[in-house]
Each structure stands twice: as C-alpha cells, then as structure tokens.
Amino acid sequence: MTCMARPWGGRQIPLSFMVVPMLRSLALLVFVLAPFLGHAARAAESLPVITAHDTATLVTDRDRASPGETLGVGLRLQLKPGWHTYWLNPGDAGEAPRLETDAAGALTGQASRILFPTPVRISEGGLMSYAYTGDVLLPQELHLSGPASGDASGHVTLKAHAEWLVCAATCVPEHGDFTVTLPVDRAPVSNVSANQGPRDRASPSPAMRGDASPQAGLFHDALQARPVPSPFRASVSPDGVLELEGQGLSPRSVHKAWFMPSASGVIDQVAPQKLATAPGRISLDLRWVEGAEKPHDLSGIVVLQDDAGQQTPLWIDAPLSAGSAGAGGSGAAPVDAQDAAHEALAPSLLRMLVFAFAGGLILNLMPCVFPVLAMKAFSLARLGGSARRAQIGSALAYTLGVMGSFAALGAAMIVLRGVGSAAGWGFQFQSPVFVIGVAWLLVAMALNLLGVFEVTSGRLGQDVVPRHGPWGDMLTGLLAVIVATPCTAPFMGAAIAGALGGPAWSGMIIFIAMGLGLAAPYLAIATIPVLARHMPKPGAWMAVLKQALAFPLLATSVWLLWVACIQRGAMIVPIALGGAVGIGLAGWLFGLAQRRAMIAGGSAAVTTGRILSVLVLVLVGAALWQVPQEVAPPMRGGDGTAEKAVPYSPEKLTALRKEGKPVFIDMTAAWCITCMVNERVALQKAPVQKAFAEKGIVYMKGDWTNRDPSISAFLRDHGRDGVPLYVYYAPHRDGAILPQILTVSTVLDAIR
C-alpha cells in the first residue's frame, strides 16, 4: 500500500487510513441528499404521461419563479418515429393541440395561448397536414403575479391540462394532466421570457441570467423556430396569386417558397404552389377552395428557402386586393393595401346583400314558416276590406318586426362569436328551455285563434273589444323569425358566413337584408295596388279559417316538444306537457274573465280570474327551472338512415379518408325541418341507398341538436354557420359541398 509522508517529518500514514473514511462519509452524504437532488433535477419538468405513441411532460424554462416575471412553460411531446401532432391549422385533417395552464400558491397566473413553432408539411393520400415530428415543444408565456400576502417565499404550483392528437396510419386523441412545483424567490425580478416574440430575440435568456432549467434550450429552439413578422408588403389577388414585395427578394435569395394558411377551408392546401420570382418580388399561385367565401385577408406562414437550403419563416397578413399587387415596391404607403381591401369589400358586400335578400325571400317557402304564413294569410284576408292606409300600416309593422328580430338575432350571433362562442344559425334551438318556451307560445297563440281568449289592448280588469293593431303585426313578425331559424334556405349559408366573417356593421346590414327578404311578399301584397285589389273580402268564412289555422300551430308545438325530448330525454315530457296544460288553463281563465267583463263590465270576479291566470303562467314559467341539464343519449332512429349512419368525429373522418374510403357527411339537427325533409325526399330514397351500398360510401351523420364544438368547427371550416350541410369526399379527393335543398338526382350526381 502506498504511504504518504508528513511534510514536517515523522512517521508515514497509510493512504487508506484517510481515504476510506472520506469515501464512506461521501457515500452517506449522497444517500441523504439523493431525494433532494432528484427533486431539483425534476423541478422544471412534470411526471410524464407515457403512451405507445409518445411521452408528454410539462416543462419550464427556469428552476425558480419570481413575482412579476413571465415564465416560459410548455408541453413537450417526444413522439415515436412515424407519429406526428398538429399545428394551429392542422391542415385537411387533424386537430390543433390545446394547453391550459394555471399557477397557484405563492404566485398566480393563467395561460392558454400556444406560441406555435413553424410546422413541417406532410402530404399523404391526397391530404395535406401541418405537423410536428420528433421532440417538439409547444410553449406558452405565463405571467406570474402576487403574492397577495406580500410574501413571495414558498412555492408556486403549475397545473396544466393538455389535449392533443397524434397520427400515423391511424389517429389517436390523447390528453394529460401535469403538475410542476417551483420555489419562489423573495424579490421580484424584471425579466423577459424565453418565449419572447420575434422582435425580442436579442433579450436576455434564462441561461444568461443563471437561473435556466435543463429544458431552457428547448424553449430557445422553439423561439428560433417561430415565424417572424414579414418585412415585405403582402397581398393576394381574387384569382389566388399571393405576392410579396420588398428589397431583398430575388431569384437567388428565394429558391423555394411555400405558404401555410392559419385556417383551413380557404385554399386547396394540397395543390401545387407555383413560385415566380423577380427582383423585389415573388408570387405563389394558390388555389381557392371551390365554393368557399374568399377571406378579406389571408394570414399564415410563408417559408422562404435560399440556394443554400436556409429557411426563413415569415408571418403575413395579406389583404385581398382588387387585382394583382402593383409594382410600387416596399415603399408604398400602408394605406394602399387598406384601400385595396375596402375596394374589394364593396362588391363582396353587395353580393352578400343580394344573397341575404334572396335567402330570406326563399325562406317563405320553407316548411318552418308555414304556420306563421298561415296567420299572415288570415291577416291579409282580414284587411281585404280595410282602407289602403290600414293595409300599408299592417305590412310596415310586420316588416319592422321581422327586420328588428333579424337584427337582434344577428347582433347576438356577432357578440357570441366575438367572445369565442361557436354560435351559428339556429343556435338558440340548442337550448331546451328556449324550445319549450316557443312551443308554449305557439300553444297560447293556437288557443287565441280557437277563441279561448282574445288579445286586447286595455287595462287589467277592463272590458275591451279585441283589437289587432301594429303591435300584433310586429309580434307576428317576431314569431315568424323565431320559427324560421330552424330552416336554412339557399343563399343563406354564404350570406350568414359573410355576415359573421366581416366587420360587425356589415354583418348587421346583411341580417337586416335577410329580414327584408322574409317580409317582402307580404309587404308587396299590401302596398302594390294591383295585388291589394285581389285580396279576398272579409266574410263569415274568416271565423272558420281562423280556427282552422290553430292546428298548424299546435302541430308545430308537438314537433318542438319532440325536439326537447331528444335533447334532454323522456324526463322532460312531464314538464313540457304539464306546462302546455298550464298554458291552456291560464288561457281559459283569462277568456272566462273577458266574457264576464263583456256581460257585466269590470268586477271583482273579472279581476280575480285574470289574476289567477297570471299566477298560473308564473307557475308554468317556474317549471322551466326543472329542465334537466344533462344531455340525453342519442335516441334518433326512426329515419331510414340513422341505423346505417356512422356518428361524426374528426378522427373517424380522418381515418376513413386515409384509408381511401368515400364518405358522405350529413350535418343535421332534430330542430332543422329542412334537414328532415331532405332525408325523406332524397337520402332515404331507394336509388340513393342503393348507390351508397354499391360504391361503399360511408354515411356519416353529425347531430347538432345539442351543442357540439367539433360539428361547429366543421361547419365553420366549410363556410357555414348552420345546418344542413352535406359534403361528399370521394377517395383521395377534397370534399364537394352539396346544395342545402337535396333531390335524388342532386345526390346521385354528386357521388358519381
């Protein structure tokens, strides 16, 4: 054994006499500190969620947190070979990932926006996907505030819920809940996150400040992969030519280029994008999706690749111009692009107004509006012997009621869209409370037509002669709009999409134009002398007609109660039918009081009868609070197609298209009468069913009776904001949108 001499002389001491005890002490120290060292190593990364396709964790760019800082957090997906997940716009199929992060404890904060890196393009089976492969980080910026107590010591706990889709030969939806706990510094720091925008890439990173986590490099790489705002002027022409202009663009600096839109359903994403370059300008030939409304501006990522293979991703917002971009170069004033967009908006708005008016006009022929049109026919007959002034006043009041109701409905849809809701045409019928309320209103109006009670304009308890005035006509207009919303007429889909996709003021004008179209026939009959002279004269026959018109209203109320039963199950039947009985009792009591008043004038009995009727109505209204909140399981099966239908899901549609199978999509709802009519006159017919079977077409049905975000997204992607929507996907082809009114020949021609 080697010995060590003491420097001041004396005897030698064996080396093992000192080393062995030191090694034993070191081993003991490591054993004691191992749990703490392991915790420190994992402090900036959660426990993993491991599947057969990937490993997911929540990571942070720092090991510590401080009040007032912006912390980098992100979902790290380590994908197995052959698997990928998706970008903000997944492409022709797929779904964008979602990540919700909350901070609690010594500090608080929330984050939901993912700062997506630039994806890669994956073209397979006639479809284009924008995706990520390998080891990918989807980062967020989490601003931390607090603590409320003024003491920043302790820990902050980050809890996150993530949902993502991974695909290879098949697609698998995955999700996970993650937790990361970080120590908190006492003193707040002024910092910039590693997830800074492209303009802040020169700012200090966590590594430069010394508090970086082992995962900080992932955030740096994700930052570098994000697109930067384009320094070039961008525009897109009506024929789909995307142009970039500015200094630095040349055939040498741009050897290849491609565009990835921020939203699907706008351009044909799998179509070739022909590149043309010139000094100071490049252009890409894009192909609009056939039948889709062109956007006012086209946003997304343009990737420029030079001769050396170096790629530069640029984020652009290209306004739709009246033609090809001019040769003004990058020095053109920004107002020029705005003027071009406004010039393009004018003809587009005019076209949408024409579509809206035509859609509202055709809506008069849809089955939804028949009960109300029957009432208007009675009103026309009643006015047949009236003065011209009364006829015009009635028509204007009805028109005002219709247009005002359309304006209110349009404003509600625009506001709901503005706050992130997926409200579409007929969205209010997805509420069983609204459906039952309308059914009860129709029962009350039917009782009025049957003579159980009369609508008067007097005070409570006063003997008044029944009166039909402007308020009654406006109420009829309101009712016409309410019962019309379950139907969608031709031209309405494009008009509603244009109304919700453009500025709020233009959307309101489009909805008002739709209302004018619905009221136009009655307005024309009452105001055009030639037509007014042909109105029938009043007579005894009107009493019989008035009572007969009550039964279409009662039939409509039965249909609405059936819709409510589908939405919330059989337990809603006692509430709905009991309320209808209550409406009948209230109407009967009110009618007794009216007849008593006509005979004996105002009295205590008259007042008591009317108060009792009001109390019954209050009890009926209170019953709406008992409507079940849980969505009922699917129970539709009475039509000839339901048993053969595959329930719609984005993942199933993606899988079928990748397998090369033809798919017919039917987006419908129980409250959509147009949908039901189309099923019976076209989709259930033997020639259509036979053709589906011979061609192996998968019939996929999306039921929008209750709210369904996946169906709402599909409708928006195809330029629609309501049902029905029919799309046929031929093998390895883009979807073809069918008309909203189907016939057997229409369906057969589409699938050929």
Side-chain angles (χ1 to χ4, degrees):
M1 175 69 68
T2 304
C3 295
M4 180 178 66
R6 298 179 65 177
W8 57 87
R11 67 183 182 89
Q12 293 180 327
I13 302 175
L15 183 61
S16 60
F17 183 82
M18 297 181 60
V19 172
V20 171
M22 291 176 60
L23 292 177
R24 289 175 179 173
S25 300
L26 181 61
L28 179 62
L29 181 62
V30 171
F31 177 77
V32 172
L33 295 180
F36 301 97
L37 294 174
H39 174 76
R42 295 192 305 268
E45 186 168 12
S46 70
L47 293 176
V49 173
I50 303 174
T51 70
H53 322 108
D54 58 9
T55 299
T57 54
L58 184 74
V59 298
T60 65
D61 65 346
R62 299 189 190 92
D63 286 330
R64 305 182 67 84
S66 298
E69 77 171 352
T70 299
L71 182 70
V73 300
L75 177 67
R76 182 184 184 184
L77 298 176
Q78 296 171 279
L79 299 159
K80 297 293 180 63
W83 292 85
H84 61 266
T85 191
Y86 293 98
W87 179 50
L88 168 70
N89 169 18
D92 291 320
E95 186 176 0
R98 292 188 290 272
L99 177 63
E100 300 284 341
T101 307
D102 292 283
L107 302 175
T108 59
Q110 290 183 331
S112 59
R113 176 172 172 259
I114 297 177
L115 306 175
F116 286 97
T118 302
V120 297
R121 299 186 301 170
I122 300 177
S123 180
E124 183 179 9
L127 301 176
M128 177 65 73
S129 297
Y130 305 123
Y132 305 103
T133 60
D135 191 349
V136 58
L137 177 70
L138 303 177
Q140 290 180 330
E141 290 182 337
L142 177 63
H143 181 72
L144 298 174
S145 59
S149 63
D151 181 8
S153 62
H155 291 80
V156 59
T157 300
L158 310 181
K159 291 184 178 294
H161 176 76
E163 298 177 4
W164 66 97
L165 184 69
V166 291
C167 293
T170 59
C171 289
V172 180
E174 296 185 342
H175 63 89
D177 292 290
F178 308 91
T179 301
V180 172
T181 300
L182 300 177
V184 175
D185 289 329
R186 290 181 176 273
V189 298
S190 176
N191 78 293
V192 184
S193 165
N195 285 337
Q196 299 141 350
R199 297 178 182 176
D200 302 318
R201 289 187 175 182
S203 301
S205 68
M208 296 174 63
R209 293 193 310 274
D211 59 351
S213 72
Q215 295 79 23
L218 299 174
F219 287 87
H220 178 268
D221 293 342
L223 168 64
Q224 296 301 316
R226 288 180 59 197
V228 299
S230 173
F232 309 115
R233 176 187 173 188
S235 65
V236 60
S237 66
D239 56 356
V241 178
L242 174 64
E243 291 198 356
L244 270 63
E245 293 181 293
Q247 295 181 356
L249 296 175
S250 67
R252 182 174 181 178
S253 63
V254 183
H255 181 64
K256 292 182 180 179
W258 57 90
F259 174 69
M260 296 178 287
S262 61
S264 61
V266 179
I267 67 169
D268 185 345
Q269 299 172 125
V270 78
Q273 300 178 359
K274 183 180 178 181
L275 172 67
T277 60
R281 177 187 301 174
I282 69 166
S283 66
L284 287 170
D285 285 340
L286 309 178
R287 183 186 302 170
W288 299 112
V289 171
E290 185 176 355
E293 180 66 19
K294 295 182 179 64
H296 299 304
D297 60 81
L298 187 65
S299 62
I301 299 176
V302 172
V303 180
L304 306 180
Q305 180 175 307
D306 59 19
D307 289 336
Q310 181 69 31
Q311 296 180 2
T312 303
L314 305 176
W315 183 270
I316 66 161
D317 287 287
L320 184 66
S321 63
S324 299
S330 59
V335 70
D336 295 340
Q338 298 175 2
D339 292 342
H342 286 299
E343 291 173 4
L345 176 62
S348 176
L349 177 59
L350 180 60
R351 183 172 63 253
M352 288 300 103
L353 290 175
V354 173
F355 283 173
F357 182 84
L361 188 64
I362 298 175
L363 201 58
N364 286 280
L365 304 177
M366 307 304 290
C368 306
V369 197
F370 283 170
V372 178
L373 290 185
M375 296 179 62
K376 290 316 300 173
F378 176 74
S379 298
L380 286 172
R382 179 176 53 81
L383 290 173
S386 303
R388 179 74 183 282
R389 183 176 180 180
Q391 295 174 0
I392 296 176
S394 174
L396 292 176
Y398 172 71
T399 303
L400 183 61
V402 171
M403 296 175 66
S405 301
F406 261 98
L409 181 61
M413 292 176 65
I414 291 172
V415 170
L416 289 175
R417 281 296 183 88
V419 298
S421 175
W425 181 250
F427 73 96
Q428 67 272 30
F429 278 86
Q430 293 175 335
S431 166
V433 173
F434 179 85
V435 171
I436 294 175
V438 174
W440 288 348
L441 176 62
L442 294 179
V443 169
M445 298 187 71
L447 294 176
N448 172 250
L449 293 176
L450 290 171
V452 176
F453 68 93
E454 296 288 348
V455 177
T456 67
S457 59
R459 295 189 301 272
L460 190 65
Q462 185 179 3
D463 178 18
V464 200
V465 177
R467 192 177 194 180
H468 300 277
W471 290 110
D473 292 312
M474 291 179 65
L475 178 62
T476 307
L478 169 63
L479 184 63
V481 176
I482 291 176
V483 300
T485 47
C487 282
T488 304
F491 302 107
M492 280 183 60
I496 295 173
L500 298 178
W505 63 268
S506 65
M508 292 300 298
I509 295 176
I510 291 173
F511 275 103
I512 291 174
M514 209 177 305
L516 181 60
L518 178 61
Y522 183 68
L523 187 64
I525 292 174
T527 56
I528 299 176
V530 176
L531 299 177
R533 285 196 295 268
H534 288 81
M535 288 193 295
K537 301 299 180 183
W541 59 272
M542 291 180 57
V544 178
L545 175 62
K546 176 183 177 182
Q547 294 177 353
L549 293 178
F551 295 98
L553 297 182
L554 291 174
T556 304
S557 67
V558 171
W559 161 64
L560 289 174
L561 295 180
W562 170 74
V563 171
C565 187
I566 287 179
Q567 292 174 323
R568 292 297 183 268
M571 293 304 297
I572 206 172
V573 173
I575 298 174
L577 294 183
V581 173
I583 295 291
L585 176 60
W588 178 69
L589 289 172
F590 193 80
L592 285 179
Q594 283 184 322
R595 286 187 287 274
R596 178 74 177 178
M598 294 178 64
I599 296 173
S603 64
V606 172
T607 303
T608 301
R610 294 186 174 180
I611 292 176
L612 286 176
S613 67
V614 172
L615 290 177
V616 172
L617 289 179
V618 171
L619 292 176
V620 169
L624 287 176
W625 293 101
Q626 304 302 317
V627 172
Q629 298 299 315
E630 297 79 11
V631 176
M635 58 176 290
R636 298 181 67 194
D639 58 33
T641 60
E643 294 83 355
K644 303 176 183 178
V646 175
Y648 169 78
S649 73
E651 298 79 19
K652 183 64 176 177
L653 175 60
T654 301
L656 290 171
R657 294 187 65 191
K658 286 190 174 182
E659 293 173 11
K661 292 185 177 180
V663 184
F664 187 93
I665 301 290
D666 175 7
M667 292 300 180
T668 182
W671 40 261
C672 173
I673 296 184
T674 306
C675 306
M676 299 167 63
V677 171
N678 285 336
E679 288 180 0
R680 283 157 177 75
V681 303
L683 297 178
Q684 294 180 20
K685 293 299 182 181
V688 173
Q689 294 292 304
K690 181 180 178 182
F692 277 22
E694 290 177 348
K695 294 179 175 292
I697 297 175
V698 178
Y699 179 73
M700 183 173 285
K701 178 176 286 190
D703 192 342
W704 209 42
T705 304
N706 295 294
R707 294 189 63 184
D708 188 321
S710 64
I711 295 178
S712 300
F714 185 89
L715 294 172
R716 288 197 307 272
D717 290 344
H718 290 79
R720 293 287 175 83
D721 289 277
V723 290
L725 172 63
Y726 306 101
V727 183
Y728 175 62
Y729 292 94
H732 305 299
R733 298 283 299 277
D734 292 335
I737 300 178
L738 279 70
Q740 292 167 302
I741 306 299
L742 296 183
T743 63
V744 171
S745 60
T746 300
V747 178
L748 294 179
D749 290 343
I751 65 178
R752 287 183 186 136

